[in-house]
Amino acid sequence: MKNCLKVLRAENDWSQQDLANRLGVSRQSVNAIETGKYDPSLPLAFKIADIFAMTIEDIFERGQEEGE
Amino acid sequence: MKNCLKVLRAENDWSQQDLANRLGVSRQSVNAIETGKYDPSLPLAFKIADIFAMTIEDIFERGQEEGE
DNA sequence: TTACAATGTAAATGACGCTTTACATAGTGA
DNA sequence: TCACTATGTAAAGCGTCATTTACATTGTAA
């Protein structure tokens, strides 16, 4: 599941730590999601969408799972 | 995180087993999500939205977490 | 009554999300 | 050079997601 978190962070000039603080998660979690190590939980995906004032569908791209 | 899966299932006249088959998960997983025992993963949430041709935001309601 | 479908629930197990601490690299500025 | 920020990665641990098998209840139909 791809996402454009890195670009959104850049547009806001936020470090991974900045975003992690706003989300209430660790910097490593943000990094892992950005680098595709795993997908966020649904509640965290909602928080991310809220912070950037976008929908989950706008930030996370479907059709990128390997189990399909 | 509340959802309207039960209503959507009823509108399509699907049993929990029917939906589980379409999602590729167990019937117990569908039941657990409906009864609020846990939230689906983000990929599963996307599959659910796809099957009902809706957005994740339409099916799952934010503002229902207890950790807020 | 007997059989079956649909739903709710429970326990044990494995995989994943997220944590913490820690180390490494690259870039920037004093 | 030295210090600092930003990023990537690793390992160990905990809680949640999702599985399987299994049992119970309710309703319906033969």
Side-chain angles (χ1 to χ4, degrees):
Chain A
M1 179 146 305
K2 292 182 66 175
N3 66 74
C4 54
L5 268 192
K6 193 167 188 168
V7 172
L8 292 173
R9 261 198 317 111
E11 288 176 355
N12 287 273
D13 196 28
W14 292 343
S15 68
Q16 290 180 345
Q17 185 66 67
D18 289 333
L19 178 56
N21 290 343
R22 290 169 194 266
L23 290 171
V25 301
S26 69
R27 178 183 69 84
Q28 283 78 357
S29 289
V30 170
N31 182 67
I33 293 167
E34 279 193 9
T35 57
K37 290 198 176 173
Y38 55 71
D39 299 318
S41 68
L42 187 56
L44 184 53
F46 266 107
K47 283 187 186 176
I48 293 171
D50 284 343
I51 283 179
F52 292 111
M54 300 172 69
T55 66
I56 290 178
E57 281 81 1
D58 285 335
I59 298 176
F60 298 92
E61 298 177 14
R62 21 161 68 80
Q64 202 66 11
E65 3 289 3
E66 51 272 19
E68 295 282 79
Chain B
M1 178 148 304
K2 293 182 66 175
N3 65 75
C4 55
L5 269 191
K6 193 166 189 169
V7 173
L8 292 173
R9 255 195 325 108
E11 288 176 355
N12 286 274
D13 196 29
W14 291 344
S15 68
Q16 291 180 345
Q17 185 66 68
D18 289 333
L19 178 56
N21 290 343
R22 290 168 195 266
L23 290 172
V25 301
S26 68
R27 178 183 69 83
Q28 283 77 356
S29 290
V30 170
N31 183 67
I33 292 168
E34 278 193 11
T35 57
K37 291 198 174 174
Y38 55 73
D39 300 316
S41 67
L42 186 56
L44 184 53
F46 266 108
K47 283 187 186 176
I48 293 171
D50 283 343
I51 283 178
F52 292 111
M54 299 172 70
T55 66
I56 291 178
E57 281 81 1
D58 284 335
I59 299 175
F60 298 92
E61 297 176 14
R62 25 161 62 83
Q64 204 65 10
E65 4 288 3
E66 51 273 19
E68 295 282 77

